[in-house]
Amino acid sequence: MTTSNPCDSDNGSTGIRSAKTDDATWFDEFTIELRLLAVPGSAIGDAVASAREFLADAGTSAEECFGSPKRYADELDLPTIPRKAVNGAGLRAGLGVLGLIGFLVSALPLVQGEAVSVDLPTLSMFAVVFIGAVLMPTFLSSLARVRPRAWMVVVAALLGFALPIGLSLWTDSAQSLFTVSALVIVIVSALLVLVPAIWSQVRHSLRDDPIVEPGGTPAPRPSISTRLFLGMITWSMVILSIVIWLFVLFGEPIER
């Protein structure tokens, strides 16, 4: 499927990640743009196959022929999958992070037989995680269009160190608002970590909406590496929770 004149020059945006791309990169970015528009996999396969066929006859580069991947994907006006009111993946990830934070604040007090003191920094941390889960789909869509840069890694690393340190300093000087039983928080945190992981494992299909070109058939099973990667993502919060409990259970006797 092509527009009426796909070889017209493109004076708009230059694409997802770069101003100049080779054909392979162009088609990768074109596929990403169609995914971000929630186009079904079969329609994506048809659009990519049609573009490749037209390009073979045109004898020029994909960028010169079609323009930017984003603009061309928008021009095709392909059918889209209705978006859910609540992004399930983002919600499950947010619940898992909330459970992980719950373990961070309650594991040690539970071992020591103490209640959890809740203060303003702790409440703020939970609020930030909740807001982050809601905004996650928008953030990921924007991130997919950005080429990774070294400064982004540096900024992310600095934030990763600065935020916990700042929160710890704020917590040390904050007044306790109320206390909660550590056992209650541990039980709730376990549910927040386990239920989303089990739900994702049971309901998620590795063959959900695959990209299939006309006349083709989806692969019967994804590769082992793909299955392992998705498994790690699904159970990442559970794995991190186990790490937290190992530090608490084995680190506490050493400190004594």
Side-chain angles (χ1 to χ4, degrees):
M1 182 181 296
T2 58
T3 53
S4 58
N5 193 4
C7 285
D8 286 346
S9 61
D10 179 18
N11 296 322
S13 60
T14 55
I16 298 176
R17 297 182 174 185
S18 58
K20 191 71 175 177
T21 61
D22 56 28
D23 288 351
T25 303
W26 189 96
F27 277 101
D28 288 342
E29 297 182 355
F30 178 54
T31 303
I32 292 173
E33 289 292 350
L34 292 175
R35 276 298 193 193
L36 293 176
L37 292 173
V39 175
S42 58
I44 294 177
D46 180 64
V48 171
S50 298
R52 290 187 186 279
E53 182 179 355
F54 189 94
L55 187 63
D57 296 333
T60 183
S61 69
E63 189 171 15
E64 291 173 347
C65 186
F66 303 111
S68 74
K70 183 179 187 307
R71 175 173 173 177
Y72 187 58
D74 290 335
E75 287 178 347
L76 291 178
D77 195 24
L78 296 174
T80 58
I81 302 172
R83 298 181 183 272
K84 297 180 180 178
V86 177
N87 182 273
L91 178 61
R92 290 191 294 271
L95 292 176
V97 173
L98 287 175
L100 192 65
I101 295 175
F103 281 137
L104 285 172
V105 301
S106 63
L108 187 59
L110 179 67
V111 173
Q112 296 175 340
E114 301 174 353
V116 176
S117 177
V118 180
D119 49 32
L120 184 58
T122 303
L123 293 177
S124 301
M125 180 170 54
F126 278 98
V128 168
V129 171
F130 178 78
I131 294 173
V134 174
L135 298 179
M136 184 62 68
T138 302
F139 172 75
L140 292 178
S141 297
S142 301
L143 186 63
R145 292 190 171 97
V146 178
R147 180 177 292 276
R149 305 291 184 183
W151 66 267
M152 297 179 184
V153 178
V154 174
V155 171
L158 291 176
L159 288 176
F161 283 107
L163 290 178
I165 293 175
L167 185 63
S168 177
L169 294 176
W170 187 18
T171 302
D172 291 340
S173 60
Q175 278 190 331
S176 174
L177 300 178
F178 54 88
T179 60
V180 180
S181 169
L183 180 60
V184 172
I185 298 180
V186 167
I187 293 174
V188 173
S189 299
L191 292 174
L192 291 176
V193 169
L194 288 173
V195 172
I198 295 173
W199 179 267
S200 298
Q201 187 68 45
V202 172
R203 293 295 300 271
H204 178 66
S205 171
L206 297 177
R207 293 182 57 188
D208 283 347
D209 194 27
I211 297 176
V212 183
E213 294 192 2
T217 56
R221 293 191 70 188
S223 64
I224 295 178
S225 60
T226 299
R227 296 201 301 271
L228 288 176
F229 174 75
L230 292 177
M232 289 290 292
I233 295 298
T234 299
W235 295 94
S236 59
M237 295 303 168
V238 177
I239 295 171
L240 290 174
S241 299
I242 294 173
V243 172
I244 291 174
W245 280 102
L246 289 176
F247 272 106
V248 170
L249 295 176
F250 291 100
E252 180 65 13
I254 294 176
E255 292 180 359
R256 292 179 180 176

